[in-house]
Amino acid sequence: MIAEAAPEAAAATTWPEAMPVWLLERLEQLGLRFPTPIQSAALRAPADAVLRAPTGSGKTVAFLCVLLARCDGELQVPDPHAAMLPTPEPAPDLTRP
């Protein structure tokens, strides 16, 4: 799935309730009370989604929230093959066998 979070898209008014309490508390401490459109999209997208958004839209926080929400209490990442790409161009190379 490839999706683009439109800047004019309305952000969700709250973070998903399924996120770990400790992560929600930390986001609140950091002043991140509401997700941006890209963060909302990332948290609700399937695991193999490719999302695009402009610079400054919150992509890094979106990526980290998804990653941290899938970690257990020990912060052990369940999938060591996760990748964060700065641009969409390398993405097709990662999907080739």
Side-chain angles (χ1 to χ4, degrees), residues 13-62:
T13 56
T14 61
W15 295 98
E17 291 181 21
M19 288 177 61
V21 173
W22 65 266
L23 183 53
L24 292 170
E25 289 172 352
R26 186 65 181 133
L27 290 167
E28 178 77 22
Q29 290 171 356
L30 293 170
L32 302 171
R33 298 186 63 211
F34 307 104
T36 65
I38 190 66
Q39 292 161 355
S40 294
L43 290 163
R44 291 164 177 78
D48 62 349
V50 176
L51 303 173
R52 292 187 283 186
T55 300
S57 61
K59 293 183 296 293
T60 302
V61 171

Side-chain angles (χ1 to χ4, degrees), residues 84-96:
M84 181 176 179
L85 306 171
T87 63
E89 288 79 17
D93 294 332
L94 290 179
T95 61
R96 290 188 201 149

